């Protein structure tokens, strides 16, 4: 099966600019996640979708971050305006089930964002 | 809410030596536990998962982990390290009815020739 696709792989922007990341999950996976991984740390959940509805966005900095999942498939994550501390790898993951904790996450290769 | 703590941000072993990566969990309900591996510039890949069927779980690449409720631990082991095992390893936890997965800070494994 095709894995989780993310683009771009790398992005360099200046602070206060905007940026968008794209994710296409594994076909048939209802749940989609965006994680932020700062260098030297574990992934931190930003937002979780079930189909096209938001399940959890409690850790999403909503003053600058936004995410959508139209038609319950692809998703985009946007940052506007970017800050230096947003430099990180943004990982997208998908899972077959949302209400089963034993359903593993499948990750894309991530987008490495550098804010200068 | 559930969480995991990984003891040791860096572990270095010689090739052929035992690998032991430590993870302790905190959960108010019986958890599901996972180990993931991340190679440079890649996403996370599932190594193994504990779902209460058996306390000793075998995963890919010769890794295994043992769930010990009395110690709230889920340590990852491999009898003999290989150079290709050098990577970042993450322990993760989720609740039985909600796939809201939380990750530890990670342990970087270095394998010396």
């Amino acid at each position: 099966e095709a894995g989780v696709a993310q683009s771009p792989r790398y992005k360099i922007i200046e602070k206060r600019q905007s940026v968008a990341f794209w994710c296409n999950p594994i076909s048939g996976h209802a749940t989609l996640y965006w994680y932020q991984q700062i260098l030297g740390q574990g992934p931190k959940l930003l937002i979780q979708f079930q189909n096209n509805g938001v399940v959890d966005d409690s850790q999403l900095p909503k003053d600058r971050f936004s995410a959508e999942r139209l038609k319950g498939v692809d998703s985009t994550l946007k940052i506007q305006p970017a800050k230096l501390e947003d430099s990180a790898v943004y990982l997208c993951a998908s899972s077959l089930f949302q209400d089963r904790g034993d359903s593993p996450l499948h990750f894309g290769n991530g987008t490495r964002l550098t804010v200068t | 809410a559930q969480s995991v703590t990984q003891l040791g941000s860096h572990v270095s072993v010689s090739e052929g030596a035992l690998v032991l990566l430590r993870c302790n969990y905190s959960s108010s309900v019986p958890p599901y536990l996972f180990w993931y591996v991340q190679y440079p510039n890649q996403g996370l890949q599932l190594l193994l998962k504990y779902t209460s069927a058996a306390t000793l779980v075998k995963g890919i690449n010769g890794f295994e982990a043992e769930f010990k409720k009395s110690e709230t631990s889920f340590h990852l082991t491999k009898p003999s390290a290989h150079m290709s095992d050098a990577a970042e390893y993450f322990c993760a936890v989720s609740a039985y009815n909600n796939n809201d997965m939380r990750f530890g800070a990670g342990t970087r494994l270095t394998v010396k020739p």
Side-chain angles (χ1 to χ4, degrees):
Chain A
E1 64 179 6
V4 176
Q6 288 189 248
S7 67
R9 284 300 312 273
Y10 305 93
K11 191 74 177 179
I12 301 174
I13 62 172
E14 295 181 352
K15 59 183 179 182
R16 292 187 290 274
Q17 287 187 324
S18 63
V19 64
F21 313 127
W22 173 83
C23 173
N24 182 250
I26 292 174
S27 178
H29 281 196
T31 311
L32 185 146
Y33 309 76
W34 284 102
Y35 283 85
Q36 179 192 58
Q37 186 178 20
I38 293 173
L39 187 64
Q41 299 182 19
K44 176 186 127 180
L45 180 67
L46 292 176
I47 189 167
Q48 178 184 357
F49 292 95
Q50 172 73 3
N51 296 314
N52 59 351
V54 176
V55 174
D56 181 1
D57 64 356
S58 57
Q59 299 189 85
L60 187 73
K62 298 180 187 64
D63 58 334
R64 298 183 301 106
F65 286 64
S66 64
E68 60 181 8
R69 189 183 184 196
L70 299 177
K71 300 180 181 178
V73 182
D74 293 8
S75 177
T76 56
L77 176 70
K78 297 179 182 178
I79 307 175
Q80 182 180 10
K83 293 185 175 181
L84 295 177
E85 58 261 37
D86 298 332
S87 293
V89 175
Y90 291 85
L91 294 165
C92 179
S94 68
S95 175
L96 193 55
F97 301 109
Q98 186 273 329
D99 59 351
R100 284 181 51 178
D102 62 341
S103 183
L105 272 59
H106 300 260
F107 285 84
N109 285 329
T111 296
R112 182 177 299 276
L113 173 67
T114 302
V115 182
T116 63
Chain B
Q2 62 270 17
S3 66
V4 289
T5 301
Q6 292 185 242
L7 303 177
S9 58
H10 291 90
V11 170
S12 181
V13 301
S14 297
E15 192 173 20
L18 171 72
V19 175
L20 171 61
L21 305 182
R22 301 177 187 273
C23 173
N24 288 89
Y25 70 90
S26 173
S27 177
S28 57
V29 296
Y32 292 128
L33 293 160
F34 304 79
W35 276 99
Y36 284 83
V37 61
Q38 186 177 34
Y39 298 102
N41 297 316
Q42 295 186 24
L44 281 69
Q45 302 173 32
L46 180 67
L47 271 179
L48 49 82
K49 66 177 182 180
Y50 166 75
T51 59
S52 78
T55 56
L56 183 62
V57 182
K58 295 187 183 297
I60 62 172
N61 301 337
F63 284 93
E64 62 182 35
E66 185 172 10
F67 174 75
K68 291 187 177 180
K69 185 177 179 180
S70 61
E71 299 177 7
T72 61
S73 69
F74 189 58
H75 300 333
L76 182 71
T77 60
K78 182 174 181 178
S80 177
H82 192 273
M83 296 296 290
S84 60
D85 295 327
E88 188 92 20
Y89 291 80
F90 294 94
C91 183
V93 63
S94 64
Y96 73 97
N97 63 344
N98 185 340
N99 206 357
D100 179 7
M101 195 168 294
R102 305 289 170 154
F103 289 84
T107 297
R108 180 168 299 278
L109 175 66
T110 300
V111 182
K112 298 175 292 185

